[in-house]
Amino acid sequence: TAPQVHRLRFALPTVASGEPACCGGAGGGIVHVMIRAPAVFNQSERIAPYSATLDGDGSFSIVVKIYPGEPPAYAAVSAHLGSLPVGEYAHVPSIRAQDWRRDAARVGMLCFGVGLVECLHPAEALLAAGAQVRIINAARRRSDLILLPRLRALLSSHPASLSVLHRLSRPEGGRGAEAGGGDGA
């Protein structure tokens, strides 16, 4: 079965001096967080990186594929995140922001799985500024494609300047890599 996809929202720590800054203080960059899960059995360092979006209210969100499994078979950080009750704390030892080119007129983005999350904010901003954006959204199976309603809304809003191509490495039916419609989400 395919892993479940969850959107998780976290408050920035109260000791933080605001949201992570980049882009000359303008905000809106790509944010990466490291999340640590508690040690289990013989696995003491369970840390994984995630791309996050700043929500603008002192919180950030991540989209996570929850890979099930109990230690020691598969002690993933995603399984730990999937088991956290609402209101529980997660250990986030680092948050950093990265910038991207805002003045680009033509942009190509190659997004793998949940990595689509970090492509969407720059794509939306570039489209609003009049840029041409081409997205290749790669996944294993059609059922692994995420955020399709958001992509469809972008395509509807920017039909002349956005195209999205889905590439599947393990399509249903066992055929070779297949493409989802050239402009279809």
Side-chain angles (χ1 to χ4, degrees):
T1 63
Q4 295 182 338
V5 177
H6 291 237
R7 179 179 177 265
L8 304 172
R9 188 171 185 206
F10 298 92
L12 288 167
T14 55
V15 297
S17 58
E19 293 184 344
C22 73
C23 326
I30 298 168
V31 178
H32 291 269
V33 298
M34 298 295 287
I35 298 180
R36 180 180 305 220
V40 292
F41 297 105
N42 61 348
Q43 298 177 355
S44 60
E45 286 296 315
R46 297 193 316 148
I47 300 175
Y50 294 92
S51 297
T53 54
L54 296 172
D55 296 330
D57 61 356
S59 66
F60 67 90
S61 297
I62 60 173
V63 174
V64 180
K65 275 191 177 181
I66 308 296
Y67 292 96
E70 294 297 324
Y74 195 79
V77 173
S78 69
H80 167 68
L81 289 172
S83 70
L84 286 177
V86 173
E88 186 60 52
Y89 290 92
H91 184 189
V92 181
S94 77
I95 299 174
R96 62 185 172 94
Q98 294 181 325
D99 201 0
W100 46 273
R101 291 287 306 259
R102 287 162 170 57
D103 60 350
R106 295 175 46 167
V107 175
M109 297 180 175
L110 182 56
C111 313
F112 293 93
V114 296
L116 176 65
V117 172
E118 70 183 76
C119 292
L120 286 178
H121 176 73
E124 290 166 340
L126 289 163
L127 288 165
Q132 296 283 319
V133 177
R134 306 292 178 255
I135 295 175
I136 297 175
N137 185 21
R140 288 187 179 132
R141 294 168 290 279
R142 188 165 300 282
S143 60
D144 291 332
L145 294 171
I146 64 167
L147 302 172
L148 293 179
R150 191 164 166 193
L151 279 175
R152 287 185 191 109
L154 271 178
L155 282 164
S156 173
S157 299
H158 304 280
S161 53
L162 173 65
S163 68
V164 176
L165 177 67
H166 300 293
R167 295 296 291 175
L168 306 175
S169 64
R170 297 181 191 163
E172 287 83 0
R175 297 186 316 253
E178 68 180 42
D183 287 324

